[in-house]
């Protein structure tokens, strides 16, 4: 499959809306409404094609335009006829307002609902492949106990395991933001855990309302291993539209913390109570030298420069006079096996290396020209702590080099799902206890490998964090449910077990009103599949060639004449297709 030469995220940069200077803590409402913003983005896409910025077709799934379509689908029914954006804290405020006015009904309300799942990865009926449980953003390891891990999810809060991932517990369902972008654990007092709130990778920079998750509420702290949480001195309101990308703790002076986000680089020397701003430009990543805690590296100036500190993070100076290759978000890593080399991966997968402390960088490999990527959305880099030859990069697929980055090979991808490993990677981390053990978090969840990435095991058992677009139940058997999941396909629940039906983004789905054996499931852009065995298998694509629907294309069965199915398309294509006996025809 072909990929974008210029990602959609780069196109957003062409809009020249990004601001590399300090952002106001009370960010103004965007001047453009939703419709103006959407039109401007699409014009830039067309301009890119005309000027050959984009000269290859997009991939069918999870390309940059896919991210835009998800945003458009989420926003369109929520902005009203005038296109006015809602406040980012609207959901949290509604939640807190409801409970403040219904305190007497809390126990009654909590007993009304019961989660039915899914609670783990599950496959199709034949178990020939599996998809994931839902997107994870970050992972953190307990410094003294290899069985204890923490993960931060896109919208499901913070989860903890005490048995190496066999089971998980959600730590708090009432956090000010259930999106978590990073977690840092005090290495000397591991019951002290810090979490950066917000969905940084889902909140596209440059457009203040281009978000699919929650903006940051700042940094929160637990001093009892994650049981309870409180706000630190780093505090945002969601209306400020801020993101935090990275949070680190000094391994020696553990009261010292650094946080990097949209509005710059911040340092605390009193365990998070107060913070000092060290830099006013967007900070994507921070790395502490694994053998010398006095040396810090930070990706600054929206990913163009590296800043270095040799005094434990107190002061930073730019090292590279020339900008990095590539565009957009970057990750910086230094291996304990050779701390003289600094690696950075940027934009679409451009890997560069410095051998002189960051003063100059040389191109190692433009990985994004060989493998599918999504610009700033999926970006992970890890270096082996013991072998200087081993480098792994997570883009859409997970790729590995055994010769210092000169060549990369796919370990797993959307076309090969070995052992059920999902795609779209957000963090990779070697175990601090075993250099052969590697953790990965991606759009499917959290996974572990005990052979440096060759084979993988899902650790998603017990986490119910799946995000659904649509839901439908059988008229004849209410326990039968069809649901379309983001990134993880349409699902079937038969009252006891879950099955994944089609590999894609799951969308609208329905049962025949008179025959529960006839069911319809769809994926993005109006591709509808028909089942005649109660949704177990979907061998028949009934969308005709030439039809192209919207991102989430609705379909509707006639409740009286159940052989008639309606499918609505976008205005620029056939506006309405009518299906008789499960086959689609042009309007008549």
């Amino acid at each position: 499959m072909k990929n974008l030469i210029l990602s959609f995220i780069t196109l957003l940069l062409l809009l020249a809306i990004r601001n590399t200077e300090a952002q106001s803590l009370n960010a103004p409402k965007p001047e453009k409404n939703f419709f103006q913003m959407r039109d401007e983005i699409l014009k830039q896409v067309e301009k890119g094609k005309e000027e050959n910025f984009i000269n290859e077709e997009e991939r069918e799934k999870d390309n940059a335009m896919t991210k835009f379509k998800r945003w458009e689908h989420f926003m369109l029914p929520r902005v009203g006829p005038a296109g006015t954006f809602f406040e980012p804290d609207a959901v949290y405020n509604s939640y807190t307002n409801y409970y403040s006015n219904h305190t007497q009904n809390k126990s009654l309300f909590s007993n009304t609902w019961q989660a039915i799942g899914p609670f783990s990865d599950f496959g199709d009926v034949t178990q020939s492949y599996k998809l994931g449980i839902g997107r994870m953003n970050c992972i953190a390891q307990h410094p003294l106990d290899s069985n204890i891990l923490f993960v931060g999810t896109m919208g499901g809060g913070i989860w903890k395991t005490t048995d190496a991932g066999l089971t998980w517990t959600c730590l708090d369902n009432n956090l000010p933001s259930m999106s978590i972008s990073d977690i840092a654990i005090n290495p000397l007092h591991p019951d002290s855990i810090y979490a950066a709130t917000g969905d940084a990778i889902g909140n596209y920079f440059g457009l203040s309302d281009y978000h699919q998750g929650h903006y940051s509420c700042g940094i929160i702290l637990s001093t009892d291993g994650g049981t309870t949480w409180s706000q630190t001195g780093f505090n945002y309101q969601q209306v400020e539209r801020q993101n935090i990308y990275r949070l680190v703790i000094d391994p020696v002076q553990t009261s010292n913390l650094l946080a990097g986000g949209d509005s710059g680089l911040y340092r605390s020397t009193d365990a998070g109570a107060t913070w000092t701003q060290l830099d006013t430009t967007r900070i994507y990543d921070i790395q502490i030298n694994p053998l010398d805690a006095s040396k810090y590296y930070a990706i600054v100036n929206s990913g163009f420069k590296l800043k270095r500190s040799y005094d434990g993070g107190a002061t930073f100076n730019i090292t590279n006079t020339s900008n990095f290759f590539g565009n957009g978000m970057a990750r910086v890593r230094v291996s304990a096996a050779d701390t003289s080399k600094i690696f950075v991966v940027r934009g679409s997968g451009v890997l560069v290396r410095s051998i002189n402390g960051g003063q100059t960088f040389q191109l190692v490999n433009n990985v994004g020209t060989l493998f599918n990527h999504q610009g700033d959305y999926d970006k992970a880099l890890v270096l082996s702590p013991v072998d200087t030859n081993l480098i792994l990069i997570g883009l859409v697929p997970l790729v590995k080099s055994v010769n210092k980055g000169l060549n990369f090979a796919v370990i797993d991808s959307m076309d090969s799902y070995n052992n059920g490993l999902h795609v779209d990677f957000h963090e990779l981390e070697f175990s601090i206890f075993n250099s052969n053990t590697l953790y990965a978090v991606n759009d499917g969840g959290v996974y572990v490998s005990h052979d440096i990435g060759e084979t993988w095991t899902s650790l998603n058992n017990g986490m119910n964090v799946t995000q659904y677009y649509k839901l439908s139940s059988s008229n004849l058997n209410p326990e039968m449910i069809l649901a379309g999941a983001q990134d993880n396909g349409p699902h079937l629940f038969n009252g006891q077990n879950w099955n994944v039906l089609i590999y894609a983004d799951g969308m609208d789905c329905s049962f025949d009103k008179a025959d529960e054996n006839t069911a319809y499931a769809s994926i993005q852009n109006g591709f509808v599949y028909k089942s005649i065995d109660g949704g177990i298998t979907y061998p028949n694509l009934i969308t005709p060639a030439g039809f192209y629907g919207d991102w989430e294309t609705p379909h509707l069965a006639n409740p009286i004449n159940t052989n008639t199915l309606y499918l609505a398309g976008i205005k620029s294509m056939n506006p309405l297709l009518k299906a008789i006996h499960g086959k689609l025809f042009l309007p008549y």
Side-chain angles (χ1 to χ4, degrees), residues 42-323:
L42 293 176
K43 286 178 182 177
Q44 290 296 330
V45 172
E46 293 304 316
K47 181 180 178 181
K49 292 178 180 178
E50 292 172 1
E51 299 181 2
N52 293 322
F53 291 129
I54 302 175
N55 56 17
E56 292 195 35
E57 295 178 2
E58 297 185 39
R59 294 172 44 246
E60 293 181 358
K61 180 186 182 292
D62 270 345
N63 49 51
M65 182 57 78
T66 291
K67 304 306 172 188
F68 163 74
K69 296 300 291 184
R70 285 177 180 157
W71 169 80
E72 180 188 42
H73 169 266
F74 179 81
M75 285 292 184
L76 189 57
R78 294 172 170 85
V79 296
T84 304
F85 287 106
F86 59 87
E87 295 292 356
D89 59 353
V91 173
Y92 180 70
N93 287 340
S94 296
Y95 173 82
T96 54
N97 289 339
Y98 176 86
Y99 276 112
S100 65
N101 295 320
H102 297 80
T103 54
Q104 71 278 10
N105 295 327
K106 278 187 177 180
S107 60
L108 177 63
F109 181 82
S110 62
N111 293 329
T112 303
W113 294 87
Q114 180 180 353
I116 62 173
F119 298 105
S120 63
D121 293 348
F122 53 91
D124 63 344
V125 148
T126 65
Q127 295 297 308
S128 59
Y129 68 91
K130 291 184 178 181
L131 294 186
I133 195 70
R135 170 150 70 91
M136 311 285 171
N137 289 338
C138 57
I139 186 169
Q141 305 175 54
H142 192 284
L144 304 178
D145 189 339
S146 62
N147 290 313
I148 300 177
L149 301 168
F150 299 83
V151 293
T153 68
M154 181 273 172
I158 304 171
W159 292 71
K160 177 182 180 180
T161 178
T162 58
D163 52 19
L166 295 178
T167 60
W168 294 84
T169 301
C170 183
L171 295 184
D172 195 328
N173 282 317
N174 298 294
L175 298 177
S177 172
M178 294 300 288
S179 296
I180 304 297
S181 59
D182 205 6
I183 300 171
I185 302 176
N186 187 318
L188 302 182
H189 305 283
D191 279 343
S192 293
I193 306 164
Y194 298 83
T197 60
D199 182 31
I201 63 171
N203 293 335
Y204 289 77
F205 60 83
L207 295 178
S208 61
D209 274 280
Y210 196 92
H211 64 88
Q212 298 183 42
H214 297 290
Y215 285 106
S216 179
C217 294
I219 296 172
I220 56 176
L221 166 66
S222 173
T223 58
D224 53 15
T227 302
T228 59
W229 296 84
S230 60
Q231 192 75 42
T232 67
F234 198 119
N235 188 10
Y236 284 135
Q237 299 297 316
Q238 285 185 316
V239 293
E240 296 172 32
R241 296 178 173 87
Q242 295 290 321
N243 302 304
I244 300 173
Y245 298 94
R246 193 79 165 102
L247 176 63
V248 298
I249 299 178
D250 190 297
V252 178
Q253 301 292 333
T254 57
S255 60
N256 295 349
L257 296 89
L258 279 177
D262 284 337
S263 58
L265 180 65
Y266 293 83
R267 184 175 190 244
S268 173
T269 58
D270 53 11
T274 60
W275 296 77
T276 301
Q277 189 173 20
L278 304 180
D279 193 283
T280 59
T281 60
R282 182 177 286 112
I283 307 296
Y284 282 140
D285 201 12
I286 306 168
Q287 169 79 53
I288 302 175
N289 187 306
L291 300 184
D292 185 350
S294 68
K295 295 180 180 180
Y296 283 66
Y297 309 94
I299 299 293
V300 303
N301 198 24
S302 296
F304 286 103
K305 299 289 187 181
L306 178 76
K307 274 195 170 183
R308 182 182 66 193
S309 171
Y310 279 178
D311 55 11
T315 60
F316 283 81
N317 295 293
I318 289 179
T319 62
N320 54 318
T321 56
S322 300
N323 289 343

Side-chain angles (χ1 to χ4, degrees), residues 427-449:
E427 189 167 2
L428 297 166
E429 193 171 290
F430 274 99
S431 168
I432 58 178
F433 301 97
N434 187 333
S435 60
N436 289 322
T437 296
L438 179 66
Y439 298 102
V441 294
N442 55 34
D443 278 4
V446 56
Y447 302 82
V448 65
S449 170

